[in-house]
Amino acid sequence: MASSFIPPAKPIIGQEEREAVDRVLRSGMIAQGPEVTAFEQEFGAHFADGRETVAVNSGTSGQHLGLLAAGVGPGDEVIVPSFTFAATGNSVALTGATPVFVDIEPEFFTLDPEAVRAAITPRTKGIMPVHLYGHPFLVDQIEAIAREHGLAIYEDAAQAHGASWNGRQVGTIGDFAMFSLYPTKNMTSGEGGMVTCASEAIARNVRLLRNQGMETQYANEVIGFNARMTDVHAAIGRVQLTKVDAWTAQRQSNAAALNAGLAGVAGVQTPKVHENAIHVYHQYTVRLDAGERDRIREALNQEHNVGSGVYYPIPNHRLPSLEKYAPGLDLPETERAAAEVLSLPVHPSLSESDLERIIAAVTAVAGAGA
């Protein structure tokens, strides 16, 4: 009998989440209300050292509104990685500012500090690094550059719930940070995002912008959006918040097993972790020999029933929607990563036998191309 398919990601929704949703539906208070307020307070205490936290309807909304709340707009430039999901560049462009795409360093797939330094101009307003795959960006170096040039830092922490750098929680480093609560993230609210804010001024601006520009009903202070989180989604998120630490520990354990099992496999480079970093493994991303990635991915799926993902095959600066901001740009480390990366299953639902199957499959498929 064929082995069951191992998915690359698997949201975990249990009875407690279903009961929480039922409780909210029975209450009749479905839109933004007390569940959202409680979730904001609990999330900020858990992941952001008590920072003021604002819930929104998606991670992308959080990044967009955070930038607007921090004063980013037309005429400004924000330095961003190209090796990330399109929402990173999109959120800058949506403010009317210009995303300035720069290269990554090759070890952790995060912004290259020297590339950041070289991209600074008089129009640069801030730097928006991504804690990619759950690994923090090189905080010390990026912070030093920001201080030297008087620039803000805006964190894209969509994939990094619980990650840290030298004991500092991701989400407490920038003027604001955005966490995504999409179903495949390390925890979910069904859909949603959280914005952790360094100042009450930014937090208040995000609250205004998410709710048609008003805190008091019908007293619209600014032009705003409808980017509210519902109490239904917040109820799911509050339950998930009680479980995410255990899930993170399981992800880290699964990653350690994969590291040990894949060590020494020809053509496979397992993820590196900086000595100052706590990695939360939203993705377990290996590098494969140039030209081998697509063959290996197809074989894992078709021959071994092992799912995987490519995050991300097309860098932001080459997307039709964003390439106008980067005509003729050459980002060699970004291009190399886009051609070589493959994310293997690492989610907490994996069993020991699943991990053994993944290791055996990658070993066999990688060896078949030697």
Side-chain angles (χ1 to χ4, degrees):
M1 185 174 67
S3 300
S4 60
F5 181 69
I6 301 176
K10 186 176 181 180
I12 304 174
I13 301 293
Q15 184 60 29
E16 291 167 288
E17 285 88 345
R18 288 187 282 272
E19 290 173 355
V21 169
D22 184 64
R23 170 174 53 79
V24 171
L25 293 177
R26 289 177 184 278
S27 77
M29 298 184 67
I30 296 172
Q32 179 178 291
E35 290 288 333
V36 170
T37 299
F39 188 28
E40 290 172 331
Q41 294 169 347
E42 291 161 4
F43 190 97
H46 194 102
F47 283 130
D49 198 24
R51 275 193 175 191
E52 187 86 11
T53 299
V54 184
V56 290
N57 61 354
S58 72
T60 302
S61 290
Q63 198 79 337
H64 179 208
L65 301 191
L67 289 166
L68 290 172
V72 175
D76 294 329
E77 294 177 348
V78 178
I79 295 171
V80 297
S82 179
F83 190 61
T84 179
F85 184 53
T88 307
N90 286 349
S91 63
V92 176
L94 285 168
T95 70
T98 299
V100 176
F101 297 110
V102 303
D103 216 348
I104 55 170
E105 45 74 29
E107 291 196 296
F108 314 110
F109 305 106
T110 64
L111 277 180
D112 177 355
E114 291 311 307
V116 169
R117 188 185 299 277
I120 294 170
T121 76
R123 295 175 59 195
T124 305
K125 179 90 168 183
I127 306 164
M128 192 158 71
V130 179
H131 304 288
L132 198 68
Y133 303 143
H135 190 291
F137 67 85
L138 302 180
V139 174
D140 297 341
Q141 296 178 61
I142 298 296
E143 278 192 320
I145 292 169
R147 283 194 302 268
E148 179 184 344
H149 293 273
L151 303 176
I153 293 176
Y154 317 120
E155 294 177 74
D156 184 331
Q159 303 177 353
H161 311 63
S164 62
W165 180 273
N166 264 345
R168 297 170 63 192
Q169 287 182 296
V170 160
T172 66
I173 295 160
D175 284 20
F176 74 86
M178 175 278 292
F179 293 85
S180 172
L181 297 169
Y182 185 74
T184 57
K185 295 299 190 288
N186 289 26
M187 64 170 285
T188 186
S189 59
E191 179 62 286
M194 285 289 191
V195 186
T196 61
C197 306
S199 70
E200 171 55 32
I202 290 179
R204 183 172 188 274
N205 285 341
V206 176
R207 287 196 295 268
L208 286 172
L209 289 165
R210 76 172 172 184
N211 190 34
Q212 304 287 7
M214 60 185 179
E215 282 196 298
T216 302
Q217 191 173 24
Y218 304 128
N220 304 73
E221 300 177 41
V222 299
I223 303 292
F225 304 82
N226 178 359
R228 298 184 299 267
M229 178 183 285
T230 70
D231 266 21
V232 173
H233 289 94
I236 296 170
R238 293 183 70 194
V239 173
Q240 295 257 309
L241 193 57
T242 68
K243 303 177 180 182
V244 66
D245 289 348
W247 290 338
T248 296
Q250 189 61 58
R251 286 176 179 273
Q252 292 165 334
S253 175
N254 292 347
L258 292 170
N259 284 341
L262 296 174
V265 175
V268 179
Q269 183 182 114
T270 56
K272 296 182 179 180
V273 181
H274 193 283
E275 62 183 359
N276 293 339
I278 297 297
H279 196 328
V280 294
Y281 293 99
H282 170 62
Q283 300 291 349
Y284 180 89
T285 302
V286 299
R287 280 187 184 268
L288 302 171
D289 283 349
E292 286 290 282
R293 194 265 310 284
D294 293 342
R295 177 191 68 81
I296 289 173
R297 185 185 186 200
E298 181 70 12
L300 288 175
N301 190 318
Q302 297 299 321
E303 300 171 20
H304 297 273
N305 265 350
V306 172
S308 60
V310 177
Y311 311 105
Y312 297 91
I314 305 175
N316 277 201
H317 74 284
R318 289 202 292 106
L319 292 170
S321 55
L322 292 168
E323 62 184 358
K324 66 181 180 181
Y325 296 103
L329 188 61
D330 181 27
L331 302 178
E333 290 296 342
T334 293
E335 298 283 3
R336 186 165 75 89
E340 294 179 356
V341 295
L342 187 68
S343 294
L344 303 174
V346 74
H347 53 83
S349 295
L350 296 172
S351 66
E352 285 191 29
S353 63
D354 289 335
L355 291 165
E356 290 168 359
R357 274 183 56 200
I358 294 165
I359 291 164
V362 173
T363 301
V365 171

